């Protein structure tokens, strides 16, 4: 999109664009660039870059130009889209040493101030330090595989259980607010595990901070969204320019999201120590464990404390929007497929109903015995991926791949949507078909299930917090299926309201608000929901 600037400035911009283009060093090579849409002199593909749902356009271009690699140029900046899992793995995993960095964004880094954000940092020592700290305190496995199914986390499960139990009660008491309830549940788990902060039952101010803090980043990280990223000199434009005003507002939202929860968590940690006479006796969380370590020394490492705050901001902001978005997609899928719900509930009843005939809520230990339910989660990730394009990588060296030149400094955009809608790997790709992830004997096809975790990234930039998000989604979805029916809503005349399938168009793209009816499956599950909320009160966190 063009920045919102007065027309009187456009002539100056055009002149500067021309001068900038002539200053670009052009690498002469006999090796061709990958195919792509036609480019104009100087501005390249600025005129024909898709304005929304770009992942669909990129996939169409791949078919049109018969290539798994698509090349674009944004006024001197090279972009390459990878439309297949094979090519993406070859570049970002097998050649990860030169494709593991991130591009510097004048909008995101210089104007909005996201220099600290783990996900958009370049591959440097600062990034590696933060990654090690995150793995240390969150006890995430270090491996770079996508095999989440075999990763068993236990430390965060009481947090999940507590707030998912509360969720079930909310879904049946006020089902019309189910989307807000799901966001609140995910935010509560994130707040509890990360900061150990008290959480309000509704309209929690900390959870609101995560949403507002992430909104600007969602818009600004879409490649080509702001001309200032192609022409860095524009960051010196007057503050009244539209993109400058947006950057200022988003910067303020970011600082509030970064500073307020951590500051309150640290005060809680300090105050608990004063009251109980024991330093660091606050609720166990990422912050409390880190501060215990830092201040156990006579010379606390204040730089490490700052790193911890930044990691907390990364986890908090990253978990709430993406994980709740996956849950929204799950609910949308269930509304459209009552038959799939019923099949899942038959499997659930066969596993979770005890010898006494009573039904219980699932735990993660039940996962191996619930392959069809797990397949539903995998199909949810594939059907409408919450991250249709991954956070772009940056090539740090000139490269040649399968006869095509990829210039140094190219922004590489993995098209997750295209990979997960490949008809050769996923026949009838637009249909919601959990059975595609099952073997003939009904067991889970673990190889195919691993491959849909693409939204968590690739190679060295794979999301280290992916296990937490996946754990929340699995348990929450299974608890909902165990206790509730998710049906199409009806209007005041009894007519069915067909839920929309419209998605947001952003770096993370969840479904837009839709209506559904949520009710307990039976009197038995209604009682189970009530008891689960009572049990949640006794989970000591």
């Amino acid at each position: 999109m063009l920045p919102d600037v007065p027309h009187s400035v456009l002539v100056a911009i055009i002149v500067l664009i021309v001068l900038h283009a002539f200053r670009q060093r052009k690498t002469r090579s006999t090796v061709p660039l990958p195919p792509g849409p036609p480019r104009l002199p100087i501005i390249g593909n600025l005129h024909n870059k898709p304005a929304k749902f770009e992942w669909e356009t990129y996939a169409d271009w791949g078919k049109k130009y018969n290539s798994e690699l698509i090349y674009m140029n944004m006024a001197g900046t090279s972009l390459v889209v990878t439309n297949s899992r094979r090519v993406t793995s070859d570049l970002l995993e097998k050649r990860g040493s030169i494709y593991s960095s991130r591009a510097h964004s004048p909008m995101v880094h210089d104007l909005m101030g996201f220099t600290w954000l783990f996900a958009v940092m370049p591959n440097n020592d600062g990034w590696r330090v933060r990654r090690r700290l995150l793995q240390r305190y969150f006890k995430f496995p270090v491996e770079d595989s996508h095999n989440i199914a075999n990763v068993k986390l236990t430390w965060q499960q009481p947090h999940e259980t507590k707030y998912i139990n509360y969720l079930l009660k909310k879904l049946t008491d006020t089902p019309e607010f189910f989307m807000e309830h799901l966001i609140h549940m995910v935010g509560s788990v994130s707040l509890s595990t990360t900061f150990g902060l008290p959480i309000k039952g509704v309209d929690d101010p900390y959870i609101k901070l995560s949403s507002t803090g992430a909104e600007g980043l969602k818009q600004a990280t879409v490649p080509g969204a702001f001309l200032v990223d192609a022409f860095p000199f524009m960051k010196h434009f007057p503050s009244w320019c539209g993109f400058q005003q947006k950057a200022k507002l988003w910067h303020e939202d970011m600082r509030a999201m970064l500073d307020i929860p951590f500051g309150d968590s640290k005060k809680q940690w300090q105050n608990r120590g004063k009251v109980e006479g024991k330093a660091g006796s606050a609720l166990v969380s990422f912050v409390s464990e880190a501060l215990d370590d830092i201040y156990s020394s006579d010379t606390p490492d204040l730089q490490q404390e700052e790193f911890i705050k930044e990691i907390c901001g990364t986890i908090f902001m990253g978990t709430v929007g993406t994980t709740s978005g996956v849950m929204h997609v799950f609910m949308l899928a269930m509304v459209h497929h009552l038959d799939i719900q019923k099949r899942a509930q038959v499997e659930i009843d066969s596993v979770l109903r005890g010898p006494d005939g009573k039904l219980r809520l699932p735990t993660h230990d039940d996962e191996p015995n619930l392959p069809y339910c797990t397949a539903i989660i995998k199909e949810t990730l594939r059907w409408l991926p919450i991250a249709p394009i991954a956070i772009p990588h940056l090539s740090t060296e000139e490269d040649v791949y399968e006869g095509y030149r990829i210039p140094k400094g190219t922004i590489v955009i993995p098209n997750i949507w295209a990979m997960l809608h490949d008809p050769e790997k996923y026949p009838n790709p637009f249909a919601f078909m959990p059975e595609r992830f099952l073997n003939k004997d009904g067991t889970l096809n673990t190889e195919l299930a691993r491959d849909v975790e693409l939204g968590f990234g690739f190679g060295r930039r794979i999301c280290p917090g992916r296990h937490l998000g996946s754990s929340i989604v699995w348990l929450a979805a299974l608890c909902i299926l165990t206790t509730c029916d998710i049906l199409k809503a009806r209007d005041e005349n009894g007519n069915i309201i067909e839920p929309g399938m419209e998605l947001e168009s952003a770096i993370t793209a969840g479904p837009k608000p839709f209506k559904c009816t949520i009710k307990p499956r039976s009197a038995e599950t209604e009682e189970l929901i009530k008891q689960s909320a009572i049990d949640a009160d006794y989970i000591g966190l």
Side-chain angles (χ1 to χ4, degrees), residues 155-170 184-186 188-189 191-193 197-200 283 361-362 472 475-476 479 529 531-541:
W155 65 274
Q156 94 296 348
Q157 288 179 5
H159 301 265
E160 292 179 8
T161 300
K162 183 183 185 78
Y163 295 107
I164 290 172
N165 285 6
Y166 284 144
L167 168 71
L168 298 177
K169 184 72 164 54
K170 290 180 178 180
H184 188 274
M185 178 274 293
V186 175
S188 297
V189 175
L191 273 170
S192 183
T193 55
L197 289 168
I199 301 159
K200 291 185 177 181
L283 295 177
L361 290 177
I472 294 171
L475 188 60
C479 285
I529 290 169
Q531 185 59 48
S532 70
I534 295 172
D535 293 342
D537 291 334
Y538 290 94
I539 297 176
L541 294 176

Side-chain angles (χ1 to χ4, degrees), residues 258-273:
L258 181 63
D259 294 334
I260 293 174
F262 183 83
D264 290 349
S265 181
K266 183 177 179 180
K267 288 177 183 177
Q268 176 181 265
W269 175 81
Q270 293 169 326
N271 291 337
R272 283 288 298 273

Side-chain angles (χ1 to χ4, degrees), residues 28 89 125 157 214 249 269 292 341 398 434 492 530 538:
R28 298 184 179 275
S89 178
D125 289 341
Q157 288 179 5
L249 176 62
W269 175 81
D292 282 346
Q341 275 190 73
E398 184 95 1
E492 56 187 12
K530 292 178 182 178
Y538 290 94

